[in-house]
C-alpha cells in the first residue's frame, strides 16, 4: 500500500507519496501558513488531496513538532503553531474520510524512518538523537516505537545532564538540549574564540564577523580548524555521556545521530564514542552499541510519517488485531 507522509515544519510543510520500501514517489513542499492553526490544517488537507490524485493511497501520516498523544490523534502542544489539545486526526478525517490518518511527533517519525529504511534497518533496538537547533529523540524498543503511556516518551533533549545548569526552553535547568544541540555548539565556539589560545582562525572569524553562526562554524569544522573542532568535541562529550546513561536504561544496538551537526560525521562520532567509553556502566563486561549518522536526512519525517500511517492501517485491517 502506498501512503502519504506530511512533515509540518516551522517554515515549510513537506509531503510525499511513499511506497512500501520507503521510496518517495512524488514530493512537494509549501511554506507553512502563519497565523491561525486552521490555515495549516487547510494546507495539509490540500496537499494530501493533490498527492492522492490518480494514486492508490490508503493512508496518510502527519508529523508535527510537539507532544502528540499515544493514540496518534491529538496534539497536546506545539511550540511554533497555535495548537493546544488540537484534535488534528479527527479534523483531518472529517475532510478526508476515505483515508486512514495518523498523527505523530516529528522526531519519532524521523526515527522510525531510520529504523525501517536507514541507519537502524535490520536491528530491533535503536536510539536516535537529532542534533539540530535543539535535541530531538526517538526510541525503538523490540521493533516498536516507544510512545509512553501518554505519547510524550523519547524526549531525550530534556534529560537532565547538569544539575542546576543552564535554563532550558522547557522551563527546567541543565537539560542535554543546552549542552548537546547546534545552539550549544555555537556557544562553545564563541566561548573558545573569546578565550583565545586554541583556534587562531576561530578567534579571527569572531573578530571579523562578531557572533559566530552555524555556517561559519560548519565551514571551519570542514576546513579542520582546531578551535572549531574543539567546540565540536565538547558537544560530542556531552552527547556521549548522555548515550552511556541511555544505555543503562535502553541498551540499544545502535545510536543514530541525526540533524545538521551530524554532517560532521566521524569528527562528531569519535568524541561521542570516547565519552561513551569512559562513562558506560560495567564497561568491558557487556556488548557495546554501534554509533552511526542518520541516512535519510531531509526525507526522514515524510518517509516515517507515511510508514507509521501504513502500519496503523495494516494493523487495523487485520481481523485478529494486535
Ligand atoms: Zn529542557
Amino acid at each position: 500500500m502506498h501512503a502519504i507522509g506530511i512533515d509540518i515544519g516551522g517554515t515549510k510543510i513537506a509531503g510525499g507519496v511513499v511506497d512500501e520500501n520507503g521510496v518517495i514517489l512524488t514530493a512537494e513542499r509549501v511554506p507553512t501558513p502563519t497565523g491561525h492553526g486552521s490555515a495549516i490544517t487547510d494546507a495539509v488537507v490540500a496537499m494530501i488531496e493533490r498527492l492522492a490524485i490518480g494514486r492508490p493511497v490508503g493512508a496518510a501520516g502527519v508529523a508535527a513538532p510537539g507532544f502528540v498523544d499515544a493514540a496518534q490523534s491529538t496534539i497536546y502542544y506545539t511550540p511554533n503553531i497555535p495548537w493546544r489539545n488540537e484534535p488534528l486526526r479527527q479534523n483531518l478525517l472529517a475532510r478526508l474520510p476515505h483515508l486512514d490518518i495518523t498523527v505523530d511527533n516529528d522526531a519519532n517519525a524521523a526515527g522510525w524512518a531510520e529504523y525501517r529504511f536507514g541507519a537502524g534497518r535490520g536491528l530491533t533496538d535503536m536510539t536516535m538523537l537529532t542534533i539540530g537547533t535543539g535535541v530531538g529523540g526517538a526510541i525503538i524498543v523490540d521493533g516498536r516505537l516507544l510512545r509512553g503511556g501518554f505519547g510524550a516518551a523519547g524526549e531525550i533533549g530534556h534529560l537532565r545532564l547538569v544539575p542546576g545548569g543552564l535554563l532550558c526552553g522547557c522551563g527546567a535547568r541543565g537539560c542535554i538540549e543546552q549542552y548537546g544541540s547546534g545552539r550549544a555548539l555555537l556557544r562553545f565556539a564563541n566561548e573558545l574564540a573569546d578565550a583565545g589560545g586554541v583556534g587562531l582562525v576561530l578567534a579571527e572569524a569572531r573578530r571579523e564577523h562578531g557572533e559566530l553562526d552555524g555556517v561559519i562554524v560548519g565551514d571551519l569544522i570542514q576546513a579542520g580548524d582546531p578551535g572549531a573542532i574543539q567546540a565540536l568535541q565538547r558537544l560530542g562529550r556531552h552527547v556521549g555521556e548522555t548515550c552511556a546513561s541511555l544505555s543503562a536504561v535502553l541498551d540499544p544496538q545502535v545510536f543514530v545521530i541525526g540533524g545538521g551537526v551530524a554532517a560532521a560525521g566521524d569528527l562528531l562520532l569519535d568524541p561521542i564514542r570516547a565519552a561513551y567509553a569512559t562513562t558506560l556502566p560495567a564497561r568491558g563486561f557487556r556488548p557495546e552499541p554501534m554509533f552511526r549518522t542518520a541516512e535519510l536526512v531531509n526525507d526522514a519525517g515524510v518517509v516515517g510519517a507515511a510508514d507509521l500511517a501504513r502500519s496503523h492501517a495494516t494493523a487495523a485491517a487485520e481481523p485478529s488485531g494486535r
Side-chain angles (χ1 to χ4, degrees), residues 1-2 18-24 116-117 296 303 307 310:
M1 182 206 294
H2 293 174
V18 183
D19 75 7
E20 296 84 348
N21 300 312
V23 176
I24 297 179
R116 289 275 286 136
F117 308 111
L296 295 162
V303 171
D307 199 67
R310 182 183 10 252

Side-chain angles (χ1 to χ4, degrees), residues 58-73:
V62 179
F67 295 94
V68 180
D69 71 349
Q72 298 170 271
S73 292

Side-chain angles (χ1 to χ4, degrees), residues 5 61 68 76 78 83 111 182 208 215 296 298 312:
V68 180
Y76 292 131
T78 79
W83 279 340
E208 191 179 328
V215 175
L296 295 162
N298 294 328
H312 187 271

Side-chain angles (χ1 to χ4, degrees), residues 61-66 68 72 102-106 108-109 145 147 304-305 308-309:
V62 179
V68 180
Q72 298 170 271
T102 52
V103 180
D104 281 282
N105 167 272
D106 57 353
N108 279 349
L145 180 64
R147 300 179 190 280
L308 286 165

